[in-house]
Amino acid sequence: NRTNIVSLLQKAQLLYKNKDTLALYSVVYALCSEISNLKHRLYFPKDKRIQKAKEYIDSNFLNNNCISEAIKECNLTPRRFGELFRKNYNVTPHGYIVQLKIENAKKLGYLQIELYVSVKNERAISLYEKHGFKNYGTIPRELLLDSGEFTDGYFMVLMLD
Protein backbone atom coordinates (compact mmCIF):
# COMPACT_ATOMS: atom_id res chain seq x y z
CA ASN A 1 0.00 0.00 0.00
CA ARG A 2 0.96 3.64 -0.18
CA THR A 3 2.29 3.87 3.39
CA ASN A 4 4.73 1.04 2.58
CA ILE A 5 5.97 3.01 -0.43
CA VAL A 6 6.54 6.14 1.67
CA SER A 7 8.34 4.08 4.32
CA LEU A 8 10.56 2.44 1.70
CA LEU A 9 11.37 5.82 0.15
CA GLN A 10 12.45 7.14 3.55
CA LYS A 11 14.62 4.06 4.12
CA ALA A 12 16.17 4.47 0.68
CA GLN A 13 16.95 8.12 1.36
CA LEU A 14 18.63 7.24 4.66
CA LEU A 15 20.64 4.40 3.09
CA TYR A 16 21.70 6.69 0.23
CA LYS A 17 22.99 9.26 2.72
CA ASN A 18 24.85 6.54 4.63
CA LYS A 19 26.27 5.13 1.36
CA ASP A 20 25.02 1.63 2.21
CA THR A 21 24.77 0.49 -1.42
CA LEU A 22 23.87 -3.16 -0.90
CA ALA A 23 21.02 -2.39 1.49
CA LEU A 24 19.89 0.42 -0.83
CA TYR A 25 19.59 -2.05 -3.73
CA SER A 26 17.43 -4.28 -1.58
CA VAL A 27 15.11 -1.42 -0.60
CA VAL A 28 14.89 -0.16 -4.19
CA TYR A 29 13.93 -3.66 -5.31
CA ALA A 30 11.21 -3.82 -2.62
CA LEU A 31 10.06 -0.34 -3.65
CA CYS A 32 9.74 -1.38 -7.31
CA SER A 33 7.75 -4.43 -6.24
CA GLU A 34 5.36 -2.31 -4.13
CA ILE A 35 4.84 0.18 -6.95
CA SER A 36 4.18 -2.65 -9.39
CA ASN A 37 1.63 -4.21 -7.00
CA LEU A 38 -0.06 -0.83 -6.52
CA LYS A 39 -0.22 -0.25 -10.27
CA HIS A 40 -1.68 -3.70 -10.78
CA ARG A 41 -4.40 -3.14 -8.15
CA LEU A 42 -5.30 0.29 -9.57
CA TYR A 43 -5.35 -0.51 -13.27
CA PHE A 44 -6.44 -4.14 -13.39
CA PRO A 45 -9.80 -4.65 -11.71
CA LYS A 46 -10.41 -7.78 -9.69
CA ASP A 47 -11.87 -10.77 -11.50
CA LYS A 48 -15.65 -10.76 -10.89
CA ARG A 49 -15.72 -14.54 -10.44
CA ILE A 50 -13.10 -14.35 -7.72
CA GLN A 51 -14.90 -11.45 -6.02
CA LYS A 52 -18.06 -13.54 -5.96
CA ALA A 53 -16.12 -16.51 -4.56
CA LYS A 54 -14.57 -14.34 -1.84
CA GLU A 55 -18.02 -13.12 -0.85
CA TYR A 56 -19.14 -16.74 -0.64
CA ILE A 57 -16.13 -17.62 1.52
CA ASP A 58 -16.75 -14.60 3.77
CA SER A 59 -20.24 -15.89 4.56
CA ASN A 60 -19.45 -19.62 4.70
CA PHE A 61 -15.89 -19.92 6.03
CA LEU A 62 -16.99 -22.13 8.94
CA ASN A 63 -18.11 -24.87 6.52
CA ASN A 64 -15.46 -27.51 5.79
CA ASN A 65 -16.23 -27.60 2.06
CA CYS A 66 -16.24 -23.82 1.67
CA ILE A 67 -13.42 -23.64 -0.89
CA SER A 68 -14.75 -26.45 -3.09
CA GLU A 69 -18.18 -24.77 -3.11
CA ALA A 70 -16.59 -21.41 -4.00
CA ILE A 71 -14.71 -23.10 -6.85
CA LYS A 72 -18.00 -24.49 -8.18
CA GLU A 73 -19.50 -20.99 -8.00
CA CYS A 74 -16.66 -19.71 -10.23
CA ASN A 75 -16.67 -22.59 -12.68
CA LEU A 76 -12.85 -22.76 -12.54
CA THR A 77 -10.38 -25.56 -11.91
CA PRO A 78 -9.04 -25.66 -8.35
CA ARG A 79 -5.57 -24.72 -9.57
CA ARG A 80 -6.80 -21.72 -11.61
CA PHE A 81 -9.03 -20.63 -8.74
CA GLY A 82 -6.04 -20.63 -6.37
CA GLU A 83 -3.91 -18.66 -8.83
CA LEU A 84 -6.57 -16.00 -9.41
CA PHE A 85 -7.48 -15.73 -5.73
CA ARG A 86 -3.85 -15.20 -4.76
CA LYS A 87 -3.32 -12.72 -7.60
CA ASN A 88 -6.37 -10.69 -6.54
CA TYR A 89 -5.99 -10.82 -2.75
CA ASN A 90 -2.28 -11.63 -2.13
CA VAL A 91 -3.21 -14.67 -0.04
CA THR A 92 -4.11 -18.27 -0.84
CA PRO A 93 -7.74 -19.32 -0.34
CA HIS A 94 -6.74 -21.59 2.56
CA GLY A 95 -4.65 -18.83 4.12
CA TYR A 96 -7.59 -16.46 3.83
CA ILE A 97 -9.90 -18.91 5.61
CA VAL A 98 -7.37 -19.39 8.41
CA GLN A 99 -7.25 -15.57 8.82
CA LEU A 100 -11.05 -15.41 8.95
CA LYS A 101 -11.23 -18.18 11.55
CA ILE A 102 -8.59 -16.51 13.72
CA GLU A 103 -10.43 -13.16 13.54
CA ASN A 104 -13.72 -14.90 14.37
CA ALA A 105 -12.21 -16.69 17.38
CA LYS A 106 -10.86 -13.38 18.70
CA LYS A 107 -14.27 -11.71 18.30
CA LEU A 108 -15.89 -14.57 20.21
CA GLY A 109 -13.39 -14.13 23.06
CA TYR A 110 -11.44 -17.37 22.69
CA LEU A 111 -8.02 -17.41 24.32
CA GLN A 112 -6.48 -20.00 22.02
CA ILE A 113 -7.15 -22.14 18.97
CA GLU A 114 -6.14 -25.81 18.99
CA LEU A 115 -5.94 -28.19 16.06
CA TYR A 116 -4.50 -31.48 14.93
CA VAL A 117 -2.75 -31.87 11.58
CA SER A 118 -1.25 -34.95 9.99
CA VAL A 119 2.53 -35.06 10.27
CA LYS A 120 2.49 -35.91 6.54
CA ASN A 121 0.65 -32.71 5.55
CA GLU A 122 3.63 -30.37 5.16
CA ARG A 123 1.65 -27.67 3.30
CA ALA A 124 -0.92 -27.39 6.09
CA ILE A 125 1.77 -27.37 8.77
CA SER A 126 3.58 -24.56 6.96
CA LEU A 127 0.34 -22.59 6.56
CA TYR A 128 -0.50 -22.86 10.27
CA GLU A 129 3.04 -21.92 11.29
CA LYS A 130 2.84 -18.80 9.06
CA HIS A 131 -0.24 -17.79 11.03
CA GLY A 132 1.53 -18.21 14.37
CA PHE A 133 0.54 -21.75 15.40
CA LYS A 134 3.13 -23.66 17.40
CA ASN A 135 3.61 -27.42 17.52
CA TYR A 136 3.11 -28.74 21.05
CA GLY A 137 3.70 -32.41 20.38
CA THR A 138 3.03 -35.49 18.32
CA ILE A 139 0.12 -37.78 19.07
CA PRO A 140 0.50 -41.31 17.70
CA ARG A 141 -2.30 -42.60 15.44
CA GLU A 142 -4.26 -39.38 15.96
CA LEU A 143 -5.86 -39.14 12.54
CA LEU A 144 -7.64 -41.67 10.34
CA LEU A 145 -6.93 -41.09 6.65
CA ASP A 146 -9.40 -41.72 3.83
CA SER A 147 -7.33 -44.78 2.92
CA GLY A 148 -8.22 -46.35 6.27
CA GLU A 149 -4.73 -46.06 7.75
CA PHE A 150 -3.83 -44.10 10.85
CA THR A 151 -1.24 -41.35 10.88
CA ASP A 152 0.43 -39.44 13.66
CA GLY A 153 -0.80 -35.91 14.24
CA TYR A 154 0.78 -32.73 15.47
CA PHE A 155 -1.09 -30.88 18.20
CA MET A 156 -0.80 -27.20 17.24
CA VAL A 157 -1.94 -24.19 19.26
CA LEU A 158 -2.29 -20.47 18.56
CA MET A 159 -2.49 -18.24 21.64
CA LEU A 160 -4.86 -15.33 21.07
CA ASP A 161 -4.27 -13.33 24.27
Side-chain angles (χ1 to χ4, degrees), residues 86-138:
R86 186 174 187 136
K87 182 178 176 184
N88 281 270
Y89 298 106
N90 295 324
V91 65
T92 65
H94 289 94
Y96 183 66
I97 287 176
V98 170
Q99 288 173 357
L100 289 174
K101 289 183 177 185
I102 291 170
E103 291 169 15
N104 189 52
K106 287 178 181 178
K107 286 179 193 171
L108 293 173
Y110 286 93
L111 299 177
Q112 67 186 39
I113 299 173
E114 303 170 356
L115 60 86
Y116 297 97
V117 63
S118 168
V119 296
K120 298 177 181 180
N121 194 343
E122 294 174 9
R123 290 178 70 186
I125 293 165
S126 174
L127 174 69
Y128 294 131
E129 287 174 341
K130 284 179 189 171
H131 284 86
F133 283 83
K134 303 259 187 277
N135 182 351
Y136 281 89
T138 305

Side-chain angles (χ1 to χ4, degrees), residues 38-78:
L38 180 62
K39 180 185 117 195
H40 181 77
R41 285 191 300 269
L42 291 175
Y43 295 106
F44 300 103
K46 294 192 185 320
D47 187 307
K48 299 275 188 236
R49 297 170 297 179
I50 298 299
Q51 284 180 323
K52 185 177 178 184
K54 181 181 174 291
E55 290 168 8
Y56 180 86
I57 291 170
D58 287 339
S59 359
N60 297 284
F61 67 91
L62 294 174
N63 299 338
N64 287 336
N65 62 347
C66 175
I67 292 177
S68 58
E69 292 298 320
I71 291 170
K72 286 178 190 174
E73 291 276 325
C74 293
N75 199 25
L76 294 168
T77 65

Side-chain angles (χ1 to χ4, degrees), residues 8-25:
L8 288 169
L9 283 169
Q10 290 169 342
K11 282 182 186 177
Q13 186 178 23
L14 181 65
L15 293 169
Y16 179 76
K17 286 180 184 175
N18 293 338
K19 299 185 189 256
D20 190 349
T21 310
L22 188 59
L24 179 61
Y25 287 148

